[in-house]
Amino acid sequence: MIELNNMAFYAYHGVLPEERTVGGHYTVSLRLSADIREACRTDDLTDTIDYAAVCAIVKSEMEQPANLIEHVAARIGHSLLDAFPTLNSVEVRLCKLHPPVPGMEIAEACYTDTFVRPTSPPPFSLDPLMGIF
């Protein structure tokens, strides 16, 4: 498991017009699941997940405004799965720091979800028990 914790961003997400014009502070943390045993043996970057490439993808997704942090987290998760074929799953935790809630002081509002690479469907079968005659 590779973890990248508390990447900091200034971005323009939110449903309030002020959030889209003024922006706010966000953090993103990731837990990346991949078979990296070969990298442990070879000490070669090509056998693991390149942190710099991961951060570039997260930065690109954070730069695209959205209403909901849930939507941004999903974009990050799916983009990482698309970019890294060896990645089995990715947990994304996206936090909006000091969200604007009238009459309340909130340190952070966070959304966490896990995105898993879909498995391939079983191969086509002519087995009569499968209902194909």
Side-chain angles (χ1 to χ4, degrees), residues 28-46:
V28 176
S29 295
L30 304 173
R31 290 173 52 108
L32 308 167
S33 174
D35 183 353
I36 56 171
R37 290 177 288 190
E38 187 65 12
C40 296
R41 188 185 70 73
T42 65
D43 194 28
D44 187 337
L45 180 61
T46 62

Side-chain angles (χ1 to χ4, degrees), residues 13-21 67 96 100-102:
H13 309 302
V15 295
L16 299 176
E18 304 83 53
E19 293 177 289
R20 291 295 192 93
T21 55
N67 289 330
K96 179 187 288 193
V101 178

Side-chain angles (χ1 to χ4, degrees), residues 106-124:
I106 301 174
E108 60 185 14
C110 300
Y111 174 72
T112 304
D113 202 349
T114 302
F115 303 89
V116 180
R117 181 173 304 288
T119 57
S120 302
F124 181 73

Side-chain angles (χ1 to χ4, degrees), residues 52-104:
V54 169
C55 291
I57 290 169
V58 174
K59 180 179 185 288
S60 174
E61 294 299 341
M62 288 298 293
E63 289 173 343
Q64 299 175 44
N67 289 330
L68 305 174
I69 60 173
E70 295 88 338
H71 178 76
V72 180
R75 285 195 329 231
I76 291 169
H78 293 296
S79 293
L80 290 172
L81 287 173
D82 289 346
F84 298 98
T86 58
L87 196 55
N88 299 319
S89 68
V90 57
E91 179 184 283
V92 179
R93 178 176 172 86
L94 196 160
C95 297
K96 179 187 288 193
L97 307 182
H98 307 289
V101 178
M104 293 294 300

Side-chain angles (χ1 to χ4, degrees), residues 122-133:
F124 181 73
S125 173
L126 294 176
D127 186 343
L129 298 175
M130 302 279 300
I132 301 171
F133 299 101

